[in-house]
Amino acid sequence: MRKLIVTMVAVLTTTVWVGVKASPEDDQAAFQSYFTTKFPDTPVDDFINGVYSIDAPSREQWEEIEEFPPYELSIDAGQAEWDKPFANGKSYADCFENEGAVRGNYPYWDAERKEVVTMELAINECRETNGEKPLKYSKGKMADLSAYM
């Protein structure tokens, strides 16, 4: 009896599992449909602002912060670090295109390396390629460079 129950559960589970197939496009459509239905008064283009598009108090606070952004000092410090040449005479500009405006290119999957490449990893690889020590992640010069880039 127990063997019969286990077999039936296995067959039903396999049948249900095989029957459920959604493509990434189907998942995206379902995701978008869920939020546009749940928040019908929100313009579709405004969803890019995340929670600020659906929560008025949060958006108000965000807009007030943006009047005097607290990260501007980091951007200035990052630009100073960007402009400072390495000991070998090269700079970050030799590693990154578009004058450092590359945030939108990261992270990405590098199939050859079989790993995700973050901008911070690329910054440290640039430094090491040019004979510099890598920076610590998340604060200090790395945070400044990340803010600038």
Side-chain angles (χ1 to χ4, degrees):
M1 182 68 174
R2 181 176 175 180
K3 194 173 188 180
L4 177 64
I5 292 172
V6 170
T7 304
M8 288 180 65
V9 168
V11 168
L12 288 172
T13 304
T14 304
T15 304
V16 170
W17 183 261
V18 171
V20 177
K21 291 184 180 178
S23 69
E25 292 79 16
D26 293 338
D27 285 346
Q28 181 181 20
F31 185 84
Q32 290 173 341
S33 174
Y34 172 81
F35 282 98
T36 54
T37 301
K38 186 165 179 80
F39 304 103
D41 296 334
T42 302
V44 173
D45 291 344
D46 201 32
F47 280 109
I48 195 169
N49 294 316
V51 71
Y52 305 125
S53 67
I54 60 175
D55 183 51
S58 294
R59 185 178 192 111
E60 185 178 325
Q61 290 173 13
W62 172 50
E63 289 173 345
E64 287 175 6
I65 288 171
E66 289 300 306
E67 287 181 29
F68 300 100
Y71 48 80
E72 276 188 8
L73 295 175
S74 291
I75 292 172
D76 293 341
Q79 182 175 10
E81 189 65 27
W82 172 270
D83 292 337
K84 188 168 44 172
F86 298 131
N88 67 1
K90 293 189 174 188
S91 70
Y92 290 106
D94 293 302
C95 302
F96 298 97
E97 59 189 24
N98 207 20
E99 297 180 19
V102 295
R103 171 53 79 190
N105 299 345
Y106 296 93
Y108 68 89
W109 173 255
D110 187 322
E112 286 183 26
R113 294 165 53 169
K114 296 186 175 160
E115 71 177 326
V116 174
V117 176
T118 63
M119 188 173 73
E120 290 74 16
L121 175 62
I123 289 170
N124 274 339
E125 288 175 345
C126 175
R127 292 180 61 80
E128 291 175 310
T129 299
N130 288 288
E132 303 289 325
K133 291 182 179 177
L135 299 173
K136 292 183 178 179
Y137 286 85
S138 299
K139 55 182 161 180
K141 291 180 181 179
M142 179 64 80
D144 294 341
L145 279 163
S146 294
Y148 174 70
M149 296 172 75

